[in-house]
Amino acid sequence: MTQQVRAAVFRPDDGRLEAAVELLESLGATPVPDAMLAVEPTRNAAREDADYTILTSKTGVELVAETGFDGSETTLCAIGESTAGALRDAGYDVDLVPAEFSSAGLVDALEAEVDGARIEVARSDHGSAVLTDGLEDAGAYVHETVLYRLVRPPEAGASAERAAAGELEAALFTSSLTVEHFLEAATARGVRDDALAGLNDAVVGCIGDPTARTAERHGIGVNVVPEEASFDALAAETVEAAAPSRHE
């Protein structure tokens, strides 16, 4: 008989965590929800005089829409289909979604055409420098607007204690920041070493190579990086890999 997989999930508690719990339950796993990110809006408005405007997340789209951002006079770019879908749902026309859903992928898609162009990047305070540096290297004039800050909720860390106690079969990291905040929470609770050991006895899934590299740099072995950079794929592949029946 296959036991249920206890899977830690760290998405923000803004609807995404609830949806992740439902998905994990549908896969036969037992979710261990532990939000490692909370969104603090800055109330900053994206500039509207740029030739290109880049949005990198669904949260960013929601915040620019709240400010009444027009978007009709700029080439609107989205990293990832989730971001693009949020833009379309908000009534915007999306001009470009790179084939590779990453900062590097967007730089590759734009670098041949942005020499001398003004580019607005509207995102969180933890955005990758790969995007801004890459566009500047291509000759663009880049302005960045911080739409929101990503902070660790003070109550975060129950999953670290579960990992330390050997009570996780899987963990699903969706960004480098979730990895870092998990370890900060484990340290705050005095269980960092045991939590790391617990993760390394479990199946760890990361949503993309940058997140996987962050985890490995901190001593966390990564078992699953889905080809499709989506939470659905991450959850399905990690739960499948963690199911005890897979190792009998």
Side-chain angles (χ1 to χ4, degrees):
M1 179 178 175
T2 300
Q3 297 177 349
Q4 282 194 313
V5 172
R6 294 167 292 187
V9 58
F10 312 112
R11 308 213 81 184
D13 192 9
D14 58 1
R16 282 177 284 182
L17 187 62
E18 181 181 1
V21 165
E22 291 177 359
L23 175 60
L24 287 168
E25 289 175 341
S26 76
L27 294 169
T30 300
V32 179
D34 192 9
M36 287 291 164
L37 297 176
V39 173
E40 287 187 351
T42 61
R43 309 301 176 192
N44 294 331
R47 293 182 61 166
E48 300 209 21
D49 59 351
D51 301 304
Y52 296 80
T53 300
I54 297 170
L55 277 300
T56 65
S57 70
K58 180 175 181 288
T59 300
V61 171
E62 292 168 352
L63 291 172
V64 296
E66 287 177 8
T67 67
F69 178 77
D70 184 343
S72 62
E73 300 298 321
T74 186
T75 298
L76 200 53
C77 310
I79 295 181
E81 286 298 344
S82 175
T83 307
L87 280 164
R88 295 184 185 106
D89 289 345
Y92 297 101
D93 292 326
V94 181
D95 299 296
L96 175 65
V97 182
E100 180 186 333
F101 298 167
S102 68
S103 294
L106 186 55
V107 171
D108 288 343
L110 288 177
E111 61 184 352
E113 61 185 76
V114 296
D115 187 15
R118 293 171 297 174
I119 299 181
E120 169 73 348
V121 178
R123 58 184 184 176
S124 82
D125 63 329
H126 282 84
S128 169
V130 169
L131 179 59
T132 48
D133 289 352
L135 293 171
E136 287 176 347
D137 288 345
Y141 301 98
V142 180
H143 178 268
E144 182 174 7
T145 296
V146 174
L147 298 173
Y148 58 100
R149 299 184 180 89
L150 291 170
V151 299
R152 175 168 60 90
E155 68 275 12
S159 62
E161 294 188 351
R162 296 286 294 273
E167 296 175 354
L168 290 181
E169 283 73 49
L172 298 92
F173 291 104
T174 51
S175 68
S176 292
L177 202 53
T178 56
V179 175
E180 293 164 357
H181 283 182
F182 174 91
L183 294 174
E184 289 174 9
T187 300
R189 293 180 181 229
V191 296
R192 182 185 175 105
D193 290 345
D194 288 341
L196 279 170
L199 285 183
N200 285 322
D201 285 337
V203 173
V204 173
C206 292
I207 206 164
D209 289 330
T211 303
R213 286 193 293 270
T214 298
E216 290 167 347
R217 188 171 67 249
H218 287 290
I220 300 169
V222 177
N223 308 100
V224 174
V225 181
E227 183 175 344
E228 177 188 321
S230 72
F231 183 78
D232 285 10
L234 175 67
E237 293 185 28
T238 303
V239 169
E240 182 180 4
S245 61
R246 298 281 295 178
H247 308 292
E248 292 175 357

